[in-house]
Structures are given as structure tokens and as C-alpha cells.
């Protein structure tokens, strides 16, 4: 039997959108308005990006919902694995030309 979804105002989506905007503008502010070393700026922006990705998974992709939370976790871990392999393989090919 299917569950009924409420058709009310999507407060969690609006809140997630606003928090994503705040994180994006924080990254822009760090990049453009601070005199920090470039390495520090990159680490801060990367950290904000990870927080924003987790926020979007939670708020927009409904990772906290569903009957089988274990499969959600496995799917996310597999997606991270594929992303790491793709990025590492791209860097390897661009660096060594293989």
C-alpha cells in the first residue's frame, strides 16, 4: 500500500535552498573578500562544498526517509566510491598521459 504524501508547503525544501545559498555565498565571500593563503581558501571552499552536498542529500533527496535505510547508505557509499575513482582516474590520465 502506498503512503499518502502531504501536499502542504515544502518548508524543508525552502530551508535547504536558503541554507545552500548561505553556504554558496560564504564560499564566495571567503574566496573574494579574505586575504587568507590560497591553500586555506581552497580547503575552506572544499569543506563548505562537502557540507552543502550532505545538506542537499538530506533535504532534497530525502536520504532520511524510506523503509530500507541500509540500502540508502550503501548507495551513497557506492556513489562516493565511483566519484573518487572518476576523479583519481582523470587526474592520473591528465598527469601521466596514459
Amino acid at each position: 500500500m502506498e503512503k499518502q504524501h502531504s501536499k502542504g508547503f515544502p518548508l524543508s525544501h525552502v530551508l535547504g535552498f536558503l541554507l545552500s545559498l548561505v553556504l554558496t555565498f560564504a564560499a564566495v565571500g571567503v574566496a573574494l573578500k579574505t586575504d587568507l593563503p590560497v591553500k586555506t581558501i581552497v580547503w575552506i571552499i572544499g569543506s563548505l562544498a562537502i557540507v552543502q552536498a550532505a545538506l542537499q542529500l538530506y533535504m532534497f533527496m530525502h536520504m532520511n526517509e524510506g523503509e530500507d535505510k541500509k540500502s540508502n547508505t550503501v548507495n551513497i557509499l557506492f556513489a562516493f566510491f565511483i566519484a573518487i575513482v572518476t576523479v583519481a582516474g582523470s587526474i592520473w590520465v591528465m598527469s601521466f598521459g596514459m
Side-chain angles (χ1 to χ4, degrees):
M1 181 179 277
E2 291 185 32
K3 292 182 180 178
Q4 290 285 5
H5 294 286
S6 65
K7 304 251 187 224
F9 186 75
L11 184 60
S12 66
H13 289 113
V14 173
L15 181 62
F17 176 69
L18 292 174
L19 288 172
S20 293
L21 284 177
V22 167
L23 289 169
T24 299
F25 288 126
V28 169
V30 166
L32 299 178
K33 303 288 184 185
T34 62
D35 293 329
L36 296 171
V38 173
K39 199 173 200 178
T40 305
I41 291 173
V42 169
W43 275 102
I44 291 172
I45 291 173
S47 300
L48 289 172
I50 291 170
V51 169
Q52 186 170 358
L55 174 79
Q56 289 180 1
L57 281 172
Y58 183 77
M59 293 291 209
F60 299 123
M61 301 303 290
H62 305 286
M63 292 307 300
N64 60 337
E65 296 177 4
E67 296 172 7
D68 190 12
K69 293 182 194 274
K70 185 177 179 183
S71 67
N72 284 345
T73 304
V74 170
N75 289 340
I76 290 297
L77 291 174
F78 183 68
F80 280 128
F81 172 74
I82 294 297
I84 289 169
V85 168
T86 302
V87 170
S90 298
I91 291 171
W92 181 43
V93 167
M94 288 187 292
S95 297
F96 302 112
M98 296 183 169

